[in-house]
Amino acid sequence: MSKLYIFGIGGTGARVMRSLTMLLASGVELGGNIDTIVPVIIDPDTSNGDLTRTISLMNLYRKIRQHLNFDNRPEKRGYFHIDIDDMNTNFRLHLNNVANMKFSDYIAYNRFTNQGQADSNQALLSLLFSDKNLACPLDVGFKGNPNMGSIVLNDPKNTEAMIQLLQHFQSEDQLFIVSSIFGGTGAAGFPLLQKTFREAERLNLPNSSAIANAAIGAVTVLPYFGLKENKDSEINMETFISKTKAALKYYIGNLDVDNLYYICDTIKNRYDNVEGATDQRNKAHFVELAAALSIVDFANSHVEHNRMQTSTAYKEFAIRADQNPITLNDLCSATFGSVGKEMMSFYLFSRFMMEHFHQTREYAWAKMPQMKGASFNDAFFADIKQFADAYKNQWLKELSDNQRSFQPFDLFANTDDVFDTIMRIEPKKTSMLGRLLGKNLNGYPAIDTEISDVSMKKLRGLDTYNFFITVHETAINNVIKKKYNI
């Protein structure tokens, strides 16, 4: 089995990683024998709200995952199947000498003087960087300035953190880079990072040959949101397109990646113009979900790097029609085949846990030998409910409320039949004969009935937590197949 190292650069990288975590929780699989991802977020803005929220979510995923074992499962896959390993980094790549430092101090701007007067070197730096650039504190990021980011992120002092991270890299492992092209951190970090990997031998990175010859995928996110006017902010959305054009021109002939994904959308929403720190906490966006799907596609493409003949595959993402809002029906068949059933399943599981689970604790499944001595108030069940809330009431709600809107489910519909809340996919209704025979296929009772049937089967070698997850996930998937033939 192998690992996929995923480097999420800047705020966009963190938000894409959040969407990927939600997909993996729902049971989306990665191909190529990949059973583990190693997510790493690169952002000097240590208190960035998008970053801290994503790290908290991944840590919650790990807490749940450590109780699960798939060896004795009939399907040997399912919710939380892919392992997430932080390699003792807490999902961050530490950047040296950026805390409590202005950019001018970082480049030793004031050192370049001659008898108290600016020398030619300082004059050159003054041409390259504005006064605002020089006065910028680095612990809030690069404020949309890739010229600053390229200096900091290319510092050899940061190699130490990379050495620690990659010390367990093996020949079958792969690399993926997530970045935006219209900001500061991502636009600067992507080309520098892929260059570091390809020059691993020159830089004396551990396992350098395996890294230099590894398959590398990358998604670069083009402008997909705008910013409200803020005269006090250095970030100006009017520069997004010019920055994008300049970066794209540079990418020609300067990248050595195997798969390069492009994703963008017409700008339909403007966020508050926040330069960084805790207030930078954007709603989840469909473009970020689509960018996460590029990671799934790369992992399932079985890419092999040919060092002697580099050939880059360029890919874009599309939906069936220019719709707003988007539903699962608007996804192309390949995309729906990768994530559609899994998203439906985990959505139903999340609603079940929050709305109905407390009513089922005295049902037959809860009295099976595997559940003997189980406490439904312990940390595992609390963590499951917390993740279900983050999935439905936070991530899915934000996707629905954003522009462009992604509304696969009617999240807060007041209905007796939860299956009616899946948008534009009609469930099969119970016939009159079925009702007469007691085959209740509507609402939570349909799931309860299936849970009872599944729990009676011989599920050997499963402890309490694995029995609980296996029974509930299998039952929900069985009902989905009956209701939707998926």
Side-chain angles (χ1 to χ4, degrees), residues 20 54 133 147-148 186 207 233 252 255 302 351 455 457:
L20 179 66
T54 297
N133 289 160
N147 56 333
M148 295 168 54
N207 310 304
S233 174
I252 299 174
L255 295 179
H302 308 287
R351 289 199 70 148
S455 67
K457 296 179 180 179

Side-chain angles (χ1 to χ4, degrees), residues 54-277:
T54 297
I55 289 177
S56 295
L57 181 72
M58 291 191 293
N59 279 321
L60 179 60
Y61 182 111
R62 292 187 72 201
K63 283 180 64 179
I64 296 169
R65 178 63 175 75
Q66 71 181 359
H67 292 291
L68 302 180
N69 186 317
F70 296 83
D71 292 340
N72 294 324
R73 299 267 195 98
E75 299 292 332
K76 300 192 182 301
R77 51 162 290 175
Y79 302 156
F80 303 98
H81 176 216
I82 299 297
D83 195 10
I84 296 181
D85 191 340
D86 72 341
M87 293 291 178
N88 298 316
T89 65
N90 194 28
F91 304 112
R92 302 250 354 244
L93 186 71
H94 178 72
L95 299 177
N96 283 297
N97 303 323
V98 296
N100 302 315
M101 181 177 287
K102 295 188 296 185
F103 183 66
S104 60
D105 298 328
Y106 191 89
I107 61 175
Y109 175 80
N110 292 321
R111 187 184 68 183
F112 298 106
T113 59
N114 185 6
Q115 297 181 350
Q117 301 295 319
D119 64 10
S120 57
N121 292 308
Q122 192 179 90
L124 176 61
L125 291 174
S126 297
L127 288 173
L128 295 174
F129 304 103
S130 68
D131 291 340
K132 285 187 175 181
N133 289 160
L134 295 169
C136 177
L138 293 179
D139 53 6
V140 294
F142 306 124
K143 298 184 179 181
N145 295 289
N147 56 333
M148 295 168 54
S150 62
I151 299 295
V152 177
L153 296 174
N154 201 33
D155 191 336
K157 294 177 182 177
N158 292 318
T159 304
E160 295 178 9
M162 190 69 74
I163 289 174
Q164 177 186 347
L165 176 67
L166 297 173
Q167 60 184 328
H168 298 297
F169 196 94
Q170 297 177 330
S171 58
E172 64 270 22
D173 295 340
Q174 297 181 323
L175 300 156
F176 198 95
I177 304 169
V178 182
S179 66
S180 69
I181 201 172
F182 57 98
T185 310
F190 169 34
L192 292 173
L193 195 56
Q194 66 86 36
K195 181 182 178 183
T196 296
F197 297 144
R198 290 297 182 227
E199 297 183 357
E201 292 162 321
R202 181 182 65 81
L203 297 172
N204 294 318
L205 294 181
N207 310 304
S208 57
S209 178
I211 296 169
N213 289 283
I216 299 178
V219 58
T220 185
V221 182
L222 283 71
Y224 66 102
F225 64 84
L227 297 174
K228 297 176 182 177
E229 184 177 355
N230 181 354
K231 294 181 180 179
D232 296 326
S233 174
E234 292 184 45
I235 304 174
N236 181 6
M237 70 165 287
E238 302 302 326
T239 66
F240 284 1
I241 299 301
S242 59
K243 288 179 181 177
T244 298
K245 289 180 177 179
L248 288 172
K249 186 175 182 180
Y250 174 79
Y251 287 178
I252 299 174
N254 287 290
L255 295 179
D256 184 3
V257 297
D258 299 283
N259 281 20
L260 181 54
Y261 297 81
Y262 288 105
I263 181 70
C264 69
D265 195 8
T266 53
I267 294 175
K268 299 181 181 296
N269 196 19
R270 294 197 177 200
Y271 298 138
D272 291 334
N273 193 335
V274 177
E275 292 183 341

Side-chain angles (χ1 to χ4, degrees), residues 1-12:
M1 305 304 284
S2 57
K3 303 183 295 296
L4 177 61
Y5 287 72
I6 307 172
F7 293 82
I9 308 176
T12 300

Side-chain angles (χ1 to χ4, degrees), residues 429-440:
K429 297 297 184 181
T430 306
S431 66
M432 179 64 73
L433 178 61
R435 289 195 293 271
L436 291 173
L437 295 175
K439 295 182 177 179
N440 191 336

Side-chain angles (χ1 to χ4, degrees), residues 392-454:
K392 172 183 173 285
N393 293 338
Q394 297 176 44
W395 183 64
L396 285 176
K397 184 178 185 300
E398 290 171 20
L399 287 169
S400 176
D401 292 343
N402 216 329
Q403 294 296 331
R404 163 183 326 243
S405 172
F406 180 50
Q407 297 182 16
F409 315 110
D410 190 348
L411 298 174
F412 304 103
N414 185 14
T415 176
D416 292 332
D417 192 348
V418 69
F419 300 106
D420 288 333
T421 66
I422 297 177
M423 304 290 284
R424 294 177 56 199
I425 301 180
E426 289 294 325
K428 178 182 176 182
K429 297 297 184 181
T430 306
S431 66
M432 179 64 73
L433 178 61
R435 289 195 293 271
L436 291 173
L437 295 175
K439 295 182 177 179
N440 191 336
L441 295 179
N442 296 329
Y444 290 128
I447 298 177
D448 291 335
T449 299
E450 197 67 35
I451 287 173
S452 178
D453 291 345
V454 173

Side-chain angles (χ1 to χ4, degrees), residues 351-379:
R351 289 199 70 148
F352 183 95
M353 289 300 301
M354 291 185 290
E355 299 172 357
H356 185 67
F357 174 64
H358 65 281
Q359 301 176 26
T360 72
R361 298 178 181 182
E362 298 299 322
Y363 288 9
W365 71 268
K367 301 182 184 301
M368 297 297 290
Q370 295 92 331
M371 299 300 298
K372 185 178 181 180
S375 171
F376 294 113
N377 296 317
D378 71 10

